[in-house]
Amino acid sequence: MLAQAFGKLRILSGLEGSRKEVSYYIHKQGCHTTSKFLTICRKLCSNYIQHQCWKCGSEIQNSSLFCSLCSTLQKPDESMTYFDILHIKQGFEVEDEDLTTKYRQLQNVLHPDRFSVKNAEERKISEQYSALVNKAYSTLHQPLARGLYILHLHGINLHEDTRETDPQFLAEIMETNEELAEAQHPHDVRRLENANKSVMDKLTKDVAKAFRAGDIDAAKQVLLKMKYYSSIAARIKDLKQKAGIE
Ligand SMILES: [Zn+2]
């Protein structure tokens, strides 16, 4: 698979005939796993691929939504991450306001009303693009989902590693769940909700710190904990709804 990807990378990147150069670059980027290799391939290729408008064939700049010649909406590029789609810098720490502004701008540009007079194919692309923008926004807007997505870009899918969870931590979670099951009064539920929120806020800061330091393993451990507290938050929300607690 690696050999195949390597061959493809050389052709796509236009670095044919300089295998040494590509190898050196990949080595320097710290490529230890296949998924990391593929991430680097995507990054390299996106710098070199010459995109063409699907309708008129003219050259398209990487980040352009529309063809400058025929004004047709372009298909979303498969190599784009959610960060690329929303035009924000990749990283755990994102500015909420910036993210929301970019999201609204894009949804405005992709609004179905703007495509009502266009042909069926372009209308379909606008719907796909809009769905992708929604998915990117909902993922990057939530700290837990954003962290899990960054791990995914590093080739790590967290649910596979639950066995590594510290038993003492699991005991604490179980205890909180029991407290929740026994909560009789609205103020008990609210107290548990506030306590859970404080823990989530603290863990969000911890995970930001880990990503900032480039410590993916530490980020993974914190995100694993966040997954448990997020389940508790969902239980509390459900309980409040059923009991009619404001
Ligand atoms: Zn065009």
Side-chain angles (χ1 to χ4, degrees), residues 180 183-190 235-246:
L180 199 55
Q184 298 282 333
H185 300 288
H187 65 260
D188 290 331
V189 179
R190 282 195 208 101
R235 275 196 67 193
I236 294 173
K237 195 179 167 194
D238 192 44
L239 190 71
K240 280 177 76 180
Q241 226 160 23
K242 279 181 185 153
I245 302 169
E246 286 293 308

Side-chain angles (χ1 to χ4, degrees), residues 32-178:
H32 308 301
T33 61
T34 307
S35 60
K36 177 86 177 164
F37 177 85
L38 293 175
T39 306
I40 293 167
C41 284
R42 277 203 297 268
K43 204 164 128 193
L44 256 182
C45 291
S46 67
N47 293 337
Y48 289 94
I49 291 175
Q50 302 250 311
H51 295 275
Q52 286 184 318
C53 170
W54 61 270
K55 201 169 179 190
C56 77
S58 68
E59 200 180 304
I60 303 283
Q61 294 272 324
N62 270 344
S63 55
S64 296
L65 277 175
F66 297 93
C67 169
S68 56
L69 201 70
C70 71
S71 306
T72 302
L73 176 67
Q74 298 302 300
K75 294 171 182 166
D77 182 344
E78 282 174 16
S79 69
M80 284 197 297
T81 66
Y82 289 163
F83 292 98
D84 297 330
I85 288 165
L86 291 167
H87 306 292
I88 60 164
K89 195 170 161 260
Q90 185 171 317
F92 183 77
E93 286 160 287
V94 299
E95 294 279 339
D96 262 357
E97 214 181 302
D98 184 33
L99 186 68
T100 306
T101 306
K102 299 253 170 70
Y103 165 72
R104 286 191 184 138
Q105 280 168 350
L106 274 168
Q107 286 305 34
N108 186 25
V109 168
L110 295 166
H111 197 278
D113 286 355
R114 292 181 188 269
F115 295 88
S116 56
V117 293
K118 303 278 180 163
N119 70 33
E121 186 161 8
E122 200 174 346
R123 262 203 320 272
K124 200 172 149 207
I125 294 171
S126 77
E127 283 160 17
Q128 284 168 345
Y129 218 128
S130 176
L132 196 60
V133 167
N134 277 334
K135 184 104 190 287
Y137 178 72
S138 63
T139 302
L140 299 187
H141 192 240
Q142 298 286 335
L144 174 60
R146 183 167 69 241
L148 293 176
Y149 180 67
I150 296 172
L151 283 191
H152 167 75
L153 292 178
H154 280 84
I156 300 166
N157 289 311
L158 207 51
H159 56 271
E160 292 160 9
D161 293 323
T162 42
R163 279 169 302 167
E164 287 175 23
T165 314
D166 169 19
Q168 199 187 328
F169 169 74
L170 286 178
E172 277 171 36
I173 292 293
M174 221 187 286
E175 203 178 306
T176 308
N177 272 317
E178 277 165 23

Side-chain angles (χ1 to χ4, degrees), residues 176 179-180 183 188-197 236:
T176 308
E179 267 189 77
L180 199 55
D188 290 331
V189 179
R190 282 195 208 101
R191 180 180 52 80
L192 287 165
E193 184 183 32
N194 289 336
N196 200 64
K197 198 178 170 302
I236 294 173

